[in-house]
Amino acid sequence: QVQLVESGGGLVQAGGSLRLSCATSKATFSSHAMGWFRQAPGREREWVASINWSGGSIYYEDSVKGRFTISRDVAKNTVSLQMNSLKPDDTAVYYCAAHDSERDSWDYWGQGTQVTVSS
């Protein structure tokens, strides 16, 4: 069973930074692409960034390019999202997800962590 545990959310002023982390098992970490999604109140969940199992392919949603960085820590089986220059529009619940390559879908989700950016 795939388990994902997020941490690192909180309240920050506009222009500030936060770092989110997602811990999982070694088996999941070494075989799945991992991603971050977010859902703001009244809006659909949207993809933010993703990284493949080797870390060689990284993708970002346009609005976060140059501000957010996704990375993998092999020693800790953790995927992180460093968020800089935060804006009030970044306020959302952020979710870590693992991609099932056979089903070609994001099938595994963490519980979510709240990020609030004040103006």
Side-chain angles (χ1 to χ4, degrees), residues 37-88:
F37 291 72
R38 65 186 179 186
Q39 186 168 19
R43 300 183 65 176
E44 296 287 323
R45 187 175 298 187
E46 65 175 0
W47 166 77
V48 174
S50 55
I51 185 168
N52 74 334
W53 67 272
S54 69
S57 297
I58 294 174
Y59 306 95
Y60 297 100
E61 192 270 330
D62 284 347
S63 70
V64 308
K65 284 181 181 177
R67 299 189 299 122
F68 290 11
T69 302
I70 189 171
S71 61
R72 301 168 65 97
D73 187 328
V74 176
K76 297 181 179 180
N77 298 323
T78 299
V79 175
S80 296
L81 186 69
Q82 177 66 41
M83 305 185 294
N84 299 328
S85 302
L86 283 161
K87 305 175 182 179

Side-chain angles (χ1 to χ4, degrees), residues 7 18 20 22 40 42 57 65 87-88 102 107 111-112 116 118-119:
S7 60
L18 282 173
L20 306 182
C22 174
S57 297
K65 284 181 181 177
K87 305 175 182 179
E102 292 185 2
D107 277 358
Q111 80 282 2
T116 303
S118 63
S119 57

Side-chain angles (χ1 to χ4, degrees), residues 19 32-33 56-57 66 88 96 101 108 112 118:
R19 185 178 182 86
H32 288 71
S57 297
C96 175
S101 60
Y108 311 106
S118 63

Side-chain angles (χ1 to χ4, degrees), residues 8-14 17-18 20 41 83 86-94 113-119:
L11 172 65
V12 65
Q13 289 187 333
S17 299
L18 282 173
L20 306 182
M83 305 185 294
L86 283 161
K87 305 175 182 179
D89 283 350
D90 295 317
T91 295
V93 177
Y94 283 70
T113 185
Q114 177 70 46
V115 171
T116 303
V117 184
S118 63
S119 57

